[in-house]
Amino acid sequence: EICVIPEMDNQLVEKLGQHLLPWMDQLSLEHLNPSLYVGLRLSSMQAGTKEDLYLHSLKLDYQKCLLGSTSRNYNNGCQAKPSMGQLALYLLTLRANCEFVGSRKGDRLVSQLKWFLEEEKRAIGHDHKGHPHTSYYQYGLSILALCVHQKRVHDSVVGKLLYAVEHDHHLHQGHLSVDTVAMAGLALTCLERFNFNPDLRQRITLAIQTSKEKILKAQTPEGYFGNVYSTPLALQLLMTSPMPRMGLGIACLKARTALLAILKDGAFQNALVISQLLPVLNHKTYMDLIFPDCQAPRVMLASTLENPSPTHVSEMISVTLKVSSVLPPYQQAISVLAGSSLKDVLEKAHELGGFTYGTQASLSGPYLTTVMGKAVGDREFWQLLRAPDTPLQQGIADYRPQDGETIELRLVSW
Ligand code: B12
């Protein structure tokens, strides 16, 4: 059986693409997002010169910050070095533009990524009792990035990913992370295609099968794999190759129907998740970065003149903000304009006094790192929940609370 996503309404797909355009005007290192470029190149749409300029900025900044001077107090305007996963996404960006790393600079990037992986391998440890400093998601992503550039990694590095798939090390707080499993599956699929680790061949084939089965089992009654936002990556993996008798075809059709409904609802606001979905809607996956088709015709995206929020409501709503992970606990009803984001609520609470918070820019948007002066420790995070106990599926910038809702910020380990 095969997983196909039949053509979707062009206008709907174009609207998604248009969502990316404003992000592509933001060319500071903090905002540059290699995933956007990859998603657009694997989509049926293009942004013309804006896209070229974006690639140019990505190259300048990433190369400067990754290869720049190593002297401690001279950091050529780089706030922070891109992380392992960001470096991996940058390598995918180059492939999306049909470039191979080849030059001396490129080789240094490859070495850096390999070195990152070695460090992570060490952190996981011989007995697999430890954890990567980043995550298995970034571990898989990095192997994938090297693989599409036809760069091999040691069996011992691949072995850690295999072990994680074989032993459910993708659990986040007891829940299967479908995104992580999908990324691992994509990385292993690439390795299998090139037969880069022949001694591991059987285990790789089996682990790909296992990750697909896990994802199919994680399908919700509505049709999502995991949740709505992990469905794009899950589909990318399922679309890579057929599977014998697993109900694959039906499962994918069901996911497509669910996606279509939620797309019409406008649930895909986040540029990163859009960038993971666009390839799927164009029957492409990250596997297509192995031999990308850079000549494929893509339609030009027109920026919409449509005003962003045609809502003229000035209605106020009340949202209760609660933090119990600190002493004394904080709880306060905050009144904000209807349609405000959770970030607006936090900001308002801050203005009213008695509440502080801090964020860090990430490819998914502002990531909440500090609440009431309490910063997250190793493998901890500030979880966003709707009372009593429902974790939010969106971040503070995207989630828009309803009137009367209670939002809890809870420090948890993962
Ligand atoms: Co998360 N997370 N996550 N996450 N996470 C994903 C991004 C995704 C897509 C998963 C999903 O639901 N399918 C959603 C976002 C959906 C959307 O945008 N609409 C998601 C969500 C919803 C959350 C939470 C909001 C859940 C909650 O609390 N209810 C929280 C964030 C709350 C906050 O702001 N404090 C959350 C937490 C986590 C943990 C478990 C802590 C880890 C991150 C810690 C770590 O890696 N050291 C986590 C991971 C690993 C991921 C995952 C699987 C990979 C991210 C990654 O490494 N990307 C993605 C899956 C995906 O992207 N499809 C989900 C690659 C690197 C290169 O990109 O930007 O540098 P990066 O990575 C950083 C950010 O992604 C950040 O942590 C990464 C490491 O520093 N981060 C952020 C992780 N999750 C989220 C979520 C949001 C909204 C933001 C702004 C940032």
Side-chain angles (χ1 to χ4, degrees):
E1 288 196 43
I2 55 168
C3 177
V4 276
I5 299 298
E7 202 86 355
M8 287 217 196
D9 177 3
N10 272 339
Q11 264 184 319
L12 217 56
V13 177
E14 231 179 291
K15 266 220 178 103
L16 272 185
Q18 275 161 353
H19 257 300
L20 297 185
L21 291 177
W23 295 101
M24 296 186 74
D25 290 326
Q26 297 184 288
L27 301 176
S28 65
L29 179 65
E30 192 180 84
H31 289 106
L32 279 171
N33 190 336
S35 184
L36 296 196
Y37 185 83
V38 175
L40 198 60
R41 287 303 296 257
L42 290 176
S43 81
S44 54
M45 298 162 295
Q46 60 154 316
T49 50
K50 194 183 271 222
E51 188 180 302
D52 301 336
L53 183 62
Y54 201 70
L55 177 63
H56 184 70
S57 307
L58 269 167
K59 283 187 179 177
L60 275 182
D61 278 14
Y62 269 70
Q63 305 232 351
K64 182 177 72 186
C65 294
L66 286 161
L67 304 171
S69 152
T70 42
S71 92
R72 228 166 284 149
N73 39 18
Y74 180 67
N75 67 354
N76 17 17
C78 304
Q79 293 107 320
K81 243 186 154 161
S83 64
M84 172 170 89
Q86 286 165 356
L87 169 54
L89 284 170
Y90 176 63
L91 291 184
L92 292 185
T93 298
L94 296 179
R95 276 313 286 147
N97 191 42
C98 290
E99 294 176 55
F100 275 113
V101 284
S103 60
R104 182 133 40 89
K105 280 184 186 166
D107 286 342
R108 276 176 64 198
L109 294 180
V110 168
S111 306
Q112 265 188 44
L113 192 50
K114 287 190 172 179
W115 180 84
F116 270 132
L117 277 168
E118 286 294 329
E119 287 287 296
E120 292 293 55
K121 187 184 88 182
R122 211 162 304 147
I124 297 166
H126 286 297
D127 51 4
H128 308 270
K129 291 256 165 62
H131 301 280
H133 297 300
T134 59
S135 59
Y136 277 106
Y137 181 92
Q138 293 196 29
Y139 196 88
L141 179 62
S142 302
I143 294 179
L144 172 70
L146 289 167
C147 180
V148 300
H149 279 277
Q150 304 187 16
K151 301 289 177 194
R152 296 161 189 265
V153 292
H154 284 165
D155 281 1
S156 60
V157 172
V158 178
K160 299 290 179 216
L161 189 62
L162 287 171
Y163 189 93
V165 175
E166 292 160 356
H167 296 84
D168 277 332
H169 275 205
H170 296 303
L171 301 182
H172 283 172
Q173 293 198 295
H175 292 289
L176 179 78
S177 165
V178 166
D179 309 76
T180 306
V181 175
M183 191 52 85
L186 286 165
L188 295 170
T189 302
C190 179
L191 297 178
E192 188 188 46
R193 296 239 169 129
F194 286 112
N195 198 17
F196 274 166
N197 303 82
D199 293 344
L200 297 174
R201 184 157 192 106
Q202 270 189 331
R203 270 177 85 198
I204 290 177
T205 305
L206 200 63
I208 294 168
Q209 182 71 15
T210 308
S211 18
K212 288 182 177 171
E213 281 164 13
K214 282 184 187 177
I215 286 173
L216 285 173
K217 269 203 209 114
Q219 189 163 34
T220 64
E222 303 88 34
Y224 304 126
F225 297 112
N227 67 26
V228 44
Y229 303 112
S230 46
T231 304
L233 277 183
L235 281 169
Q236 284 203 34
L237 175 64
L238 296 176
M239 283 160 64
T240 53
S241 56
M243 265 171 101
R245 308 180 305 279
M246 283 293 302
L248 181 65
I250 292 176
C252 288
L253 284 181
K254 218 175 140 186
R256 179 210 183 245
T257 310
L259 276 182
L260 191 63
I262 200 106
L263 279 179
K264 285 185 179 150
D265 269 7
F268 277 85
Q269 297 291 334
N270 187 274
L272 182 103
V273 279
I274 293 177
S275 76
Q276 297 179 338
L277 176 62
L278 288 179
V280 170
L281 301 179
N282 190 33
H283 319 288
K284 297 254 185 290
T285 75
Y286 289 160
M287 274 325 100
D288 288 286
L289 295 173
I290 296 178
F291 298 116
D293 178 2
C294 287
Q295 307 302 312
R298 294 178 290 144
V299 300
M300 182 68 80
L301 276 170
S303 42
T304 41
L305 297 169
E306 193 183 317
N307 47 334
S309 58
T311 41
H312 299 291
V313 283
S314 51
E315 187 195 334
M316 299 299 279
I317 60 165
S318 168
V319 178
T320 302
L321 186 62
K322 182 177 158 186
V323 190
S324 358
S325 313
V326 291
L327 283 173
Y330 169 93
Q331 178 158 346
Q332 190 71 55
I334 312 287
S335 100
V336 287
L337 273 174
S340 295
S341 69
L342 178 52
K343 190 163 187 290
D344 297 330
V345 175
L346 302 185
E347 197 46 47
K348 185 74 179 285
H350 175 67
E351 280 165 19
L352 293 172
F355 178 83
T356 62
Y357 74 103
T359 62
Q360 199 182 301
S362 80
L363 304 185
S364 295
Y367 182 63
L368 187 64
T369 50
T370 315
V371 174
M372 309 297 264
K374 184 129 185 56
V376 288
D378 200 25
R379 297 184 54 76
E380 275 183 347
F381 77 109
W382 279 104
Q383 189 181 34
L384 320 176
L385 303 110
R386 186 173 57 232
D389 234 8
T390 312
L392 301 184
Q393 295 184 2
Q394 291 176 301
I396 55 170
D398 295 332
Y399 186 72
R400 293 174 197 283
Q402 301 288 306
D403 190 23
E405 250 175 49
T406 297
I407 299 292
E408 184 183 342
L409 311 177
R410 192 187 288 168
L411 188 62
V412 297
S413 37
W414 64 285

